[in-house]
Amino acid sequence: MRYKIKIEPLGVEISCGEEQTILDACLRNGVWVPHACTHGTCGTCKSKVLKGEVDFGLASNFALMDFEREEGYALLCTAKPKSDIVIEADVEVEEGIEFYPVKDFVGKVIDIDDCARDTRKLFIEIVNDKIFYLAGQYIQLYIPGTDQNRAYSIASRPLGEGNSIIELQIKKVPGGLGSKYIFDELKQGDRVKFAGPFGRFVLRKNFDNPMLFLAGGTGLAPIKAMILDAIESGVKQEMYLFHGVRSTRDLYDQDVFSRIEQENSNFHYIPALSEKLPEDEWNGELGFVHEVLERKFQKFSGFKAYISGPPPMVDACIKVLMRGRLFAEDIYVEKFFNEK
Ligand code: FES
């Protein structure tokens, strides 16, 4: 059984299966609605059901209070339609950006590269289709034998004709379900399943402001896709990449960014170590990303900033940027939460 879902204020109508969440139906039809956790705990996707009936699904009582349910609100990531419905979602259409519909993919692991300490790159060749995405977006990788998936950003440059190979960068998290699968079980040649693209942390190419890219650890993945895309698109403004890691053992992709820096006078690569070990041969920057950033610049007005990494790193960078007069609307953020 399928139902019609009308999304206001866009006035767009899509179809949704009775076993499908409304969020899934929206994303698969190219309608971007706000979301984050995708399993009923954060409340980001809360929307009003103006007409019709829904099954609320496993919405947490903290994310969706009883009185909110009574007032007609639902979490789109858990709610399924029980009739044709009309919802009012907080859709904000941003000029110059068009999102691709989410699809399911089957891929084959064609290469595994242990590029740094507890850090692995996976190269996946898609066998059933090509993926279209915007630089900075992520996929949800299904974990076999479970009903779970894990989000990983795509580090490859998006190609106009769609990508048949994508690169992921994964940090091992002790006890993490995705880490166990990727570090202990997955081998070259194995099949994987994933869905995507997801996310709003994307490169805005319609501005000519200088750009700051601030990455912590494997938060580099979406930033790498953005920089490769910006360079390939002939972006002329100044671009600064700050990549913070703990020690030299955690640093990777230096060759990629050093080469881009040599070939493009508008690109500046600033790797930084937060902890210099006695054995580290290092003449570069020392300190956390936000500290190095503040040493390099005092004023940030006029910049666009992209920040990706663990929440404390992201929050510290936002503080420095705002102290240097950069407004919230010029800061784009992707927080990498440790998986469970
Ligand atoms: Fe978090 Fe729906 S996306 S509750």
Side-chain angles (χ1 to χ4, degrees):
M1 181 84 188
R2 297 194 71 80
Y3 295 110
K4 282 189 218 143
I5 310 227
K6 189 166 184 192
I7 301 120
E8 298 291 11
L10 294 179
V12 173
E13 200 169 274
I14 60 168
S15 151
C16 181
E18 60 185 342
E19 286 306 317
Q20 188 178 18
T21 66
I22 299 168
L23 175 67
D24 190 65
C26 287
L27 297 179
R28 283 175 191 275
N29 283 279
V31 179
W32 191 90
V33 289
H35 61 282
C37 72
T38 69
H39 43 254
T41 53
C42 72
T44 309
C45 63
K46 195 180 300 169
S47 300
K48 187 146 194 180
V49 180
L50 301 175
K51 248 192 220 165
E53 253 195 281
V54 298
D55 169 350
F56 291 99
L58 294 173
S60 117
N61 285 339
F62 299 105
L64 187 69
M65 313 263 200
D66 286 345
F67 78 89
E68 292 176 307
R69 291 173 200 235
E70 279 157 28
E71 285 176 4
Y73 286 91
L75 299 182
L76 300 186
C77 67
T78 58
K80 295 172 184 165
K82 283 166 66 177
S83 68
D84 290 344
I85 59 170
V86 179
I87 59 166
E88 184 179 51
D90 188 11
V91 280
E92 164 205 324
V93 180
E94 201 178 318
E95 219 179 292
I97 299 196
E98 260 192 57
F99 289 92
Y100 293 103
V102 169
K103 289 185 180 177
D104 291 311
F105 297 95
V106 179
K108 188 168 108 179
V109 177
I110 53 167
D111 199 8
I112 295 177
D113 174 15
D114 289 321
C115 55
R117 171 172 52 179
D118 292 337
T119 308
R120 177 165 275 194
K121 288 184 184 179
L122 285 187
F123 294 87
I124 297 171
E125 182 175 26
I126 301 167
V127 295
N128 67 328
D129 205 341
K130 285 188 172 187
I131 184 169
F132 288 86
Y133 60 95
L134 300 174
Q137 289 194 291
Y138 65 89
I139 55 132
Q140 300 261 21
L141 185 70
Y142 294 105
I143 311 297
T146 74
D147 58 355
Q148 307 263 318
N149 50 50
R150 289 292 179 268
Y152 298 109
S153 294
I154 306 172
S156 325
R157 174 172 76 85
L159 305 174
E161 68 276 19
N163 291 52
S164 49
I165 295 178
I166 55 166
E167 173 191 334
L168 308 179
Q169 303 177 346
I170 298 122
K171 179 82 182 170
K172 188 174 188 173
V173 178
L177 183 70
S179 291
K180 186 172 173 299
Y181 170 51
I182 290 167
F183 284 83
D184 300 345
E185 296 162 18
L186 201 61
K187 301 178 303 301
Q188 197 170 332
D190 282 358
R191 294 244 155 171
V192 291
K193 287 185 176 173
F194 63 92
F198 296 96
R200 268 211 135 184
F201 181 64
V202 298
L203 182 69
R204 273 75 176 172
K205 288 192 271 188
N206 48 338
F207 297 111
D208 52 13
N209 309 54
M211 293 188 270
L212 290 169
F213 296 101
L214 313 174
T218 48
L220 184 64
I223 298 272
K224 180 178 179 182
M226 290 180 178
I227 291 170
L228 295 176
D229 191 28
I231 294 288
E232 192 59 31
S233 311
V235 159
K236 290 284 172 279
Q237 59 264 45
E238 298 294 304
M239 293 185 275
Y240 299 84
L241 166 61
F242 292 76
H243 183 205
V245 293
R246 215 150 150 200
S247 75
T248 50
R249 287 192 290 165
D250 305 295
L251 201 55
Y252 62 95
D253 275 346
Q254 286 155 288
D255 53 337
V256 175
F257 296 112
S258 299
R259 185 176 38 78
I260 297 176
E261 187 175 41
Q262 276 165 17
E263 293 170 359
N264 299 274
S265 57
N266 61 331
F267 179 75
H268 313 278
Y269 173 44
I270 305 133
L273 306 186
S274 60
E275 184 185 285
K276 188 180 171 193
L277 302 174
E279 64 270 26
D280 280 339
E281 276 180 34
W282 185 252
N283 298 317
E285 294 291 340
L286 288 172
F288 292 104
V289 171
H290 69 279
E291 296 169 334
V292 179
L293 176 68
E294 203 163 29
R295 283 205 297 269
K296 290 265 172 206
F297 297 96
Q298 284 72 45
K299 287 274 169 288
F300 299 102
S301 42
F303 276 99
K304 292 277 176 192
Y306 296 86
I307 319 173
S308 165
M313 172 259 166
V314 170
D315 293 341
C317 288
I318 292 176
K319 260 192 209 149
V320 167
L321 292 170
M322 292 187 121
R323 217 169 27 232
R325 304 254 174 272
L326 192 63
F327 294 114
E329 64 261 31
D330 295 316
I331 304 175
Y332 307 103
V333 164
E334 189 81 299
K335 287 187 178 176
F336 277 43
F337 291 93
N338 271 351
E339 58 153 354
K340 294 283 181 307

